[in-house]
């Protein structure tokens, strides 16, 4: 997404530390997200403030510093580790002379690159449009005869959102039939859930030879894959690989992918896979458990799976 014909776009990553979350850890994730999207993170800037500046998110001094760095380091792109308002984006682009995007836009772009199934593409487009709609300016009113272009755009987007929801309901209904058939046949379902890049797809491939794309990138898997797995006891279960999770996953995405995530959350057994070599392993398990509870998985057996033990330095 963030590559041109000659090279990836050079990105300056900007974090505003208001104390709401661990800004350093989140900035590390943003760097991985930027790499996954095809950008080249060159530098990072962090500012501590009690609240974001309404006009530019960061303070005026930091904006000047960012503008200088953009010029000195041939930066093409500013990526902020939080959601920005349209006004903030406009002001920052004017001050720095480069494209400005926020964390949510970056994640939406990655999902758009990774969606291959019909359902995945519908879900991503729905999330993108829901994010865009409230950001199409304010003060809507008739200006002279007929509609303004903004009103027409908003009406078109609302119609498209309704159409996408209808198409997704059809897809969900078809999947519901498959799930009911599995229940009738007594098929036990086992879902691989967990933080992004924990190795779920690699584990799926090892167990079932599913041939799922497995890369050392965030959100390598977006579309759920189900494969039969014969256990040593002779019983066969249905193993389901699911989209990875991340801290502060945009609520637009959680809402759009709710049906897919709920399919995992309602499995008979959930394997919460985490990267045991990560210093954040404990937090990753907790982030996944919290979201699973929100999706209604409480009461289902959740088994933590510590993956990537070969990369652990001190067991």
């Amino acid at each position: 997404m963030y590559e041109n014909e000659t090279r990836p776009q050079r990105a300056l990553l900007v974090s505003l530390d208001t104390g709401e979350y661990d800004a350093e850890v989140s900035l590390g994730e943003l760097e991985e997200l930027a790499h996954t999207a095809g950008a080249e993170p060159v530098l990072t800037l962090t500012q501590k403030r009690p609240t974001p500046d309404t006009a530019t998110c960061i303070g005026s001094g930091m904006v000047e510093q960012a503008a200088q760095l953009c010029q000195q380091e041939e930066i093409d792109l500013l990526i902020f580790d939080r959601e920005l308002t349209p006004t903030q984006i406009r002001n920052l682009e004017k001050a720095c002379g480069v494209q400005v995007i926020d964390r949510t836009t970056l994640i939406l772009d990655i999902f758009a690159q990774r969606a291959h199934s019909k359902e995945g593409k519908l879900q991503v487009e729905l999330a993108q449009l829901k994010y865009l709609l409230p950001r199409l300016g304010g003060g809507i009113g008739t200006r002279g005869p007929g509609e303004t272009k903004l009103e027409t755009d908003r009406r078109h987007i609302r119609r498209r959102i309704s159409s996408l929801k209808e198409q997704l309901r059809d897809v969900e209904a078809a999947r519901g039939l498959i799930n009911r058939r599995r229940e009738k046949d007594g098929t036990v379902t086992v879902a691989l859930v967990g933080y992004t890049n924990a190795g779920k797809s690699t584990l799926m491939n090892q167990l079932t030879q599913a041939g799922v794309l497995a890369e050392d990138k965030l959100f390598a898997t977006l579309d759920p894959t189900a494969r039969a797995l014969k256990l040593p006891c002779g019983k066969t279960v249905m193993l389901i690989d699911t989209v990875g999770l991340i801290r502060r996953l945009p609520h637009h995405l959680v809402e759009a992918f709710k049906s897919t995530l709920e399919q995992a959350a309602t499995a008979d057994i959930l394997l919460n896979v985490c990267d045991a070599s990560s210093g954040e392993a404990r937090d990753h398990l907790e982030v996944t458990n919290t979201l699973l509870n929100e999706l209604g998985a409480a009461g289902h057996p959740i088994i933590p799976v510590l993956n990537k033990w070969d990369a652990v330095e001190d067991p």
Side-chain angles (χ1 to χ4, degrees), residues 170-192:
D170 292 342
V171 175
E172 286 164 28
R175 189 170 56 227
L177 286 172
I178 295 169
N179 290 341
R180 282 193 292 278
R181 198 174 300 134
R182 282 178 188 160
E183 286 172 19
K184 191 179 175 184
D185 295 343
T187 305
V188 173
T189 53
V190 180
L192 294 171

Side-chain angles (χ1 to χ4, degrees), residues 101-245:
I101 64 168
D102 61 14
R103 180 186 176 95
T104 299
T105 301
L106 184 64
I107 293 175
L108 285 169
D109 282 350
I110 292 168
F111 271 53
Q113 290 179 49
R114 299 281 172 165
H116 298 298
S117 71
K118 180 187 175 183
E119 183 179 20
K121 288 175 180 176
L122 290 172
Q123 287 169 325
V124 171
E125 189 183 350
L126 179 61
Q128 288 175 321
L129 292 179
K130 282 192 166 183
Y131 182 61
L132 175 65
L133 187 59
R135 309 170 85 79
L136 280 178
I140 306 291
T142 52
R143 301 170 195 169
E147 287 187 311
T148 63
K149 183 180 184 301
L150 190 55
E151 285 173 316
T152 308
D153 288 347
R154 288 179 75 126
R155 205 154 50 85
H156 173 73
I157 288 173
R158 285 197 187 97
R159 272 205 307 266
R160 182 64 184 155
I161 285 173
S162 296
S163 169
L164 289 168
K165 284 181 174 177
E166 199 173 320
Q167 290 179 67
L168 278 169
R169 277 195 290 270
D170 292 342
V171 175
E172 286 164 28
R175 189 170 56 227
L177 286 172
I178 295 169
N179 290 341
R180 282 193 292 278
R181 198 174 300 134
R182 282 178 188 160
E183 286 172 19
K184 191 179 175 184
D185 295 343
T187 305
V188 173
T189 53
V190 180
L192 294 171
V193 296
Y195 219 71
T196 183
N197 206 24
K200 295 185 294 298
S201 297
T202 302
L203 186 58
M204 176 90 168
N205 288 338
Q206 287 289 327
L207 292 171
T208 68
Q209 287 74 54
V212 177
L213 174 70
E215 290 184 283
D216 188 20
K217 285 185 175 181
L218 302 188
F219 303 119
T221 302
L222 200 56
D223 300 310
T225 304
R227 292 287 185 277
L229 169 64
K230 191 168 185 180
L231 301 176
C233 65
K235 188 175 178 67
T236 298
V237 299
M238 188 61 66
L239 193 64
I240 304 167
D241 188 19
T242 63
V243 61
L245 306 174

